[in-house]
Amino acid sequence: MVLLQPDPFLNELTSMFEHSTEKGTVWVTLKRSSLKSKVQRNKMAAAGEPLEYRCLIRATNGKKTISTSVGPKDHQRFQASYATILKAHMTSLKKRERKDKKKVAGADKKEGGSKKPKRA
Amino acid sequence: MVYITSWDEFVERSAQLFRADPDSTRYVMKYRHCDGKLVLKVTDNKECLKFKTDQAQDAKKMEKLNNIFFTLMSRGPDADVSKLQGKNRQKHNQGKEGEGNNSFVGC
């Protein structure tokens, strides 16, 4: 398990997505963690020090795992870059054409029942 | 393992799950480009909520959910995500009730 800084992590994540287009999966896990062991946590709690939590992000393609941790100050910048990477790579999901093309016989509109058909 | 069909319900319950136990709740995303499928899972090791999709529009919604989780996890479970969730709901409702824009007044 490789622990990286946020920026190299994003680069590695990008290459993971690129390598798994034909075959393979990318898993990304988000969890809150203080990155300290239980012993340290108990000590800090006893001493009255506030625990500092960070967001732990892990990514794997089944073979390799990378991770990084993001604190409250850098999380907004990280989430913007992360969103960009996801948007750029999640291209194989189906696009819905609802209001754009009424001419389409409704075959596409019926897919994905989360939005109701508008034209009654 | 429960697959939730409604996105809003998934978001609500995941946020609740996280607030109830922030230390053991985790959010997992699995993406397979070759199948064009995306699966989201939120679990606290006792209960598990899942959401699967193959729709591009859900990827956009997932980005908002990512923002919510990033904020909750790095700032703490008491962080204010009402702006993030509020925007989500307003857009969603406008999408549903497109005929009369005046029918839903934002919270």
Side-chain angles (χ1 to χ4, degrees), chain B:
Chain B
M1 256 177 278
V2 185
Y3 274 106
I4 312 242
T5 38
S6 146
W7 174 261
D8 285 336
E9 190 194 335
F10 178 72
V11 174
E12 278 284 339
R13 290 177 67 183
S14 320
Q16 271 173 1
L17 208 59
F18 180 77
R19 289 204 172 93
D21 194 350
D23 288 329
S24 65
T25 305
R26 65 181 184 275
Y27 164 59
V28 185
M29 179 204 75
K30 168 174 153 176
Y31 175 66
R32 273 182 71 82
H33 190 99
C34 43
D35 295 340
K37 285 206 159 62
L38 175 68
V39 182
L40 308 176
K41 171 163 93 166
V42 180
T43 176
D44 63 351
N45 299 324
K46 291 172 209 151
E47 206 185 305
C48 179
L49 307 166
K50 287 180 103 169
F51 184 88
K52 66 177 167 187
T53 183
D54 54 356
Q55 304 289 324
Q57 56 165 349
D58 289 330
K60 290 186 204 162
K61 292 186 202 164
M62 181 200 69
E63 277 166 37
K64 297 202 174 84
L65 183 63
N66 286 344
N67 289 350
I68 293 175
F69 273 118
F70 270 116
T71 311
L72 282 175
M73 289 180 179
S74 40
R75 298 223 168 128
D78 308 320
D80 178 25
V81 291
S82 54
K83 285 183 211 164
L84 299 167
Q85 277 180 327
K87 261 192 201 170
N88 202 6
R89 286 213 190 110
Q90 274 190 354
K91 271 192 190 168
H92 204 69
N93 280 324
Q94 277 179 8
K96 275 185 184 170
E97 299 170 349
E99 288 148 27
N101 278 329
N102 49 11
S103 48
F104 182 84
V105 180
C107 42

